[in-house]
Amino acid sequence: MINDKIWIISTYRVQLIKMGIEKAGSVNELGRQMGYRSRVHPGWSVVQIMQGKQAFPWPRLKKLVDYLGYDMEDVLKHTTQHERVTLEGTKSALMMNGMSGYIPR
């Protein structure tokens, strides 16, 4: 059985979401593509996931992977445990991908 909450290592998680934002055109549009329906800011959960503050819910990860045309088995090779997702690793991944504006404070 697949766990409903999927933690992805920081370097891969940030890269995956960055590619989604680039394809969708904005973080809010990516949120919509992933099935978030907030009227004000559907990308809020996407940012929370990218910053390592919450895991990917299985259905949202599936929608992102399908949207990007990736193979889910390849993505799942990058899973980790919640305890291994650190603020330092996330900051480093965000900076390496040119997304320093999303560094959590």
Side-chain angles (χ1 to χ4, degrees):
M1 180 178 159
I2 300 289
N3 187 351
D4 187 46
K5 303 290 183 190
I6 311 296
W7 292 95
I8 305 285
I9 60 170
S10 296
T11 52
Y12 194 77
R13 183 183 70 248
V14 170
Q15 183 180 18
L16 198 64
I17 291 175
K18 179 183 179 184
M19 289 185 290
I21 292 169
E22 289 172 351
K23 182 174 181 178
S26 72
V27 70
N28 282 335
E29 184 56 33
L30 178 60
R32 289 182 192 98
Q33 293 296 325
M34 291 172 63
Y36 292 105
R37 298 288 175 228
S38 168
R39 297 176 121 207
V40 178
H41 190 17
W44 184 85
S45 291
V46 175
V47 172
Q48 294 294 299
I49 293 167
M50 183 170 52
Q51 291 177 340
K53 294 180 179 177
Q54 68 185 52
F56 276 101
W58 172 258
R60 308 295 192 212
L61 178 60
K62 176 80 172 108
K63 286 183 179 191
L64 175 61
V65 169
D66 290 346
Y67 181 66
L68 293 174
Y70 279 44
D71 180 54
M72 182 60 89
E73 286 191 29
D74 290 338
V75 173
L76 292 177
K77 291 177 186 174
H78 300 276
T79 60
T80 190
Q81 297 163 343
H82 177 221
E83 302 80 35
R84 301 199 68 194
V85 175
T86 65
L87 182 59
E88 296 79 25
T90 299
K91 282 182 180 181
S92 175
L94 289 165
M95 290 181 70
M96 285 184 341
N97 283 282
M99 301 187 76
S100 57
Y102 289 101
I103 292 177
R105 299 172 198 254

